[in-house]
Structure formats: structure tokens, C-alpha cells
Amino acid sequence: MPKTALKLYTADDSGCHHEPHPLSHVKPENRVDYITRQSLNRFLNGPGLMPFFDRFTKNLINRLLDLDVNSEWREMPDLWGLFKKQITSAAVEALCGPTLMSLTPNMAENLWAYDEGIPNLVKGVPRWWAPKSYARRDRLLKSIKDWHAFAKSHFDQTKIDSDEHWDPYFGSEFFRSRQDFFAKMDGMSDDAVAASDLGVMWAYAVKQKTLSLFWTQASDARFDIDRLCQQARFLSCYAEVLRLRIDGFIMRSPERQDMMINNWVFPRNEIVLVATTPEHMNDETWNTGHANSHPLKRFWADRFLIFSNDINSGPLKKSFISQSNQPLQKVRSAESDSAKFSLDGLAGSWIPYGGGFRSCPGQNFAKREILLVVALMITMFDIKIDTRADLETDQRSSGLGAQRPRHQVPCRIKRRVAPYSFGVKVEE
């Protein structure tokens, strides 16, 4: 991000709410924090969500149907490689439309190459120390600038879809609207807009969801798009994967005055980092089963389920509930196999998306995407992971969200013969 644009961000003390802070003198068009967050919320939680999700679904189904896998078992050196290419390509095209992918056909591969260098970039190591990391970022920024220039020069108002507000050049209305409000901000050059868009693509097409999808294990779920988000055991698997495989930092900063918690003082404008893993691995909070039969470092599909005939079921230890005076869990989802999924009582304990007003605005889409893709994969393919595969995580990306596997994950895969409800390519 160019320094002139960074000054815009650091000078914005107007807050993230609709009404600016009364002591702020930031011009309305320069409220970059509020404007960009509202744009994300409209896209990911408002009328833009379902058109985006539907485009992603069509893109992914077509890519999986075209995958070079038949009804005979095939050895694959890395299941992870399959996930990141197919899913990321489908997400990028759903976000940005076909123009970006046609201008840069290997956009998905470039994004993942960039992701490998993120640990160097966030640490601020010099360019001469990590030239590949910087070169990969430079290559992506050029691709995005080229896409912006092409889209602006070819944009045709009549090509906008009346129902989905989607066009073939910028893709979703989200990116088109960003061009409009960034153009009114002081210091937001073409380089700055490209850097901001790269951050969005990395966060929503790469990092969180694709890696979480890889780790999700739900062997008994069946694909039914209308009821998918109501399957209790499927939801429990989803929540457990995020508890186990998300290792991130939640960033906050006291904006107006020092903040005191117990005897600790956090100075105004200083960065505060809260790690998710200590809470996700807190054995004083989480239920680990009878006689600790399901330790927190191991995946347990039923950790978030409450069974009517088992008073000790549910995500929280009963001793924690009594000590913290928390109410008994209430049910949030439909019944499945006499079990009910629950996240109640877990505020501050289950925090893969952060928490509070600044929690991840894309969490609703992420949940739908993760459940959909796993359902598609187990419906369309039989997959057997090599029992010798190393499924440990790569600690180099610790603190950056979803963790990648440390090594390749060899597997055998074949296409299921049973007919699908989407047995032909989905046309636009």
C-alpha cells in the first residue's frame, strides 16, 4: 500500500459506525474504515450474498464435473492441491467475473504462491531478504491493475445483470462500487486500490475458507442444498474444524483513551493482539468427553452436539458452566439423529471469526461455502487419504488464520457412479 494511502487509513479516527465520532474532523468521503466495512457487509450479508453464492456454486460444480477423474481409482500426490486450485478458481471468478481470469489464467496459483510469502511480508523483512515473496506480490498487483484498467475501458452499463447487479468486467457489484468510492478519497491511487483489492481476494477467495474446507471431515453428511445448513452433525464438524485448525490473531486498538483490564493498561492507539488458539485449546472450558477420551488436540465430530439422553454432552464442560454462571445451552439448529448443534455459551471461547462488532463480515458466506463444498466432494467422489499421510499443520503461518498442511497429502480418488441432481454442466 503506498504511503499516501496509508496516511488516509491512519488519519481516519471517525470510527466504524454510521455516525462519525463527534471529535473527528475526517471528511465524509475519507471515512475509509466505515465505507469499506459497510461495502463488505452489504455484499456478504445483504442482497449481494445469494447471487455471489449461486455464482460460486455454478462455477465449482462445472469445474468438478470437468475434473480429470473417472470411476476408476486414481492415485493423486496431493489432495490439498486439488482443493486449492478448483475452489479458489471458482471463488475468484464468482467475485471478479471472467475478465480477470481471462487476463490472468493462473490467478489462483498466483494467489497461493503469494500466500506462501505472507509470513515474510507481515514481519516486514526487507525485499533483499525475501525477493520471491515481494516478486509474487508485485506480479499480483500488476495483474489487478491491468484488470482494473481493462474493465474501466470496456465497461458497458447495459451489460449489468438486472437481478444480480453483476457484469462481465468487474464481476460483482462489490468491486465496481469500490472503484467509485475509492476515486473520491484523498490519496487512493491506482496502486492503492489494487493493494486493497488484493487484500479482499486473499481473505475471501483463499485464506480462511479454502483451508478450512480441506480440514473438514464429515463422512456421514449427504448433499441437500436446501437443508444443508440444518444438519446438526455436519455443523458440529464445521465448528470443530474451525476450533482445531484456525490459529489467528484478533487485532484491536483503544482509539480514544487508554484501556484497563484488571491491572493491565493498554495505551491509546497501541495494537492489542488476542490469539485464538489459547481459547480454542482451553481444557478448563471445553468438554473433552468421558475420562478425557476426546482431547482438544484431536478432532471430535460430536463436540458441539447436545444429546437428549446424555447430560454431559455439549461443547462446554459442566464445571465451567456452573463456575461461570452461564445458562444451559439453548438449541440453535434442527435436530439430527437425536442430537442438537449448539454454540451457546461459547462467546469468547469459539472465536475463529473474531468477535464483537468487528468480527469477520464474511462468516455467513464462509459457513455456507464450507458446507456446500464438502457436500459436493463427498457426493461426487470417493476419496481415501493415505494412512501414512502427515496431517500436521505448517507452523510457519501460525497467527494468520486457517493453517495449511505441513506436507503433501497423497490420496486415491474416483468419481461416484451414482447420478447427481446436477449431472449436467450448469449453464449461466
Side-chain angles (χ1 to χ4, degrees), residues 200-214:
V200 172
M201 292 179 199
W202 177 74
Y204 290 98
V206 176
K207 188 60 178 176
Q208 293 296 98
K209 295 173 283 298
T210 307
L211 281 162
S212 299
L213 286 163
F214 173 78

Side-chain angles (χ1 to χ4, degrees), residues 116 118-120 123 393-400 403-406:
E116 291 179 1
I118 288 289
N120 290 325
K123 293 173 187 174
T393 57
D394 186 348
Q395 295 300 307
R396 291 176 296 177
S397 57
S398 179
L400 295 174
Q403 301 299 286
R404 66 170 68 219
R406 182 168 59 182

Side-chain angles (χ1 to χ4, degrees), residues 40-200:
L40 278 169
N41 274 323
R42 285 194 302 270
F43 178 53
L44 295 169
N45 297 304
L49 173 61
M50 287 314 299
F52 174 39
F53 184 75
D54 289 343
R55 289 194 301 272
F56 169 77
T57 302
K58 294 175 183 177
N59 292 343
L60 184 61
I61 289 175
N62 286 339
R63 288 178 180 276
L64 293 180
L65 288 172
D66 286 340
L67 200 62
D68 186 21
V69 175
N70 56 33
S71 59
E72 300 294 327
W73 284 108
R74 176 185 173 185
E75 303 283 342
M76 291 193 65
D78 187 20
L79 179 61
W80 166 230
L82 171 69
F83 268 77
K84 67 181 182 182
K85 180 178 180 180
Q86 302 301 328
I87 299 170
T88 303
S89 296
V92 169
E93 187 168 346
L95 271 170
C96 309
T99 298
L100 174 59
M101 297 294 288
S102 64
L103 293 173
T104 310
N106 57 343
M107 190 68 185
E109 291 88 343
N110 289 348
L111 282 165
W112 279 108
Y114 165 70
D115 180 74
E116 291 179 1
I118 288 289
N120 290 325
L121 298 175
V122 298
K123 293 173 187 174
V125 301
R127 184 179 285 265
W128 60 264
W129 183 267
K132 287 185 178 179
S133 299
Y134 283 91
R136 291 165 178 170
R137 186 183 67 179
D138 293 344
R139 183 167 60 245
L140 274 172
L141 290 173
K142 183 181 183 304
S143 294
I144 294 172
K145 285 180 64 178
D146 291 345
W147 166 51
H148 287 166
F150 186 94
K152 285 189 284 188
S153 64
H154 290 78
F155 177 71
D156 183 349
Q157 191 80 20
T158 64
K159 297 290 182 67
I160 298 177
D161 186 288
S162 59
D163 295 326
E164 299 184 356
H165 305 290
W166 187 90
D167 76 85
Y169 302 107
F170 285 107
S172 58
E173 183 187 24
F174 170 72
F175 279 111
R176 195 167 65 246
S177 66
R178 283 167 66 86
Q179 290 287 319
D180 294 336
F181 62 66
F182 278 143
K184 300 173 184 177
M185 293 182 183
D186 298 332
M188 286 299 289
S189 62
D190 291 345
D191 289 332
V193 177
S196 182
D197 280 2
L198 173 56
V200 172

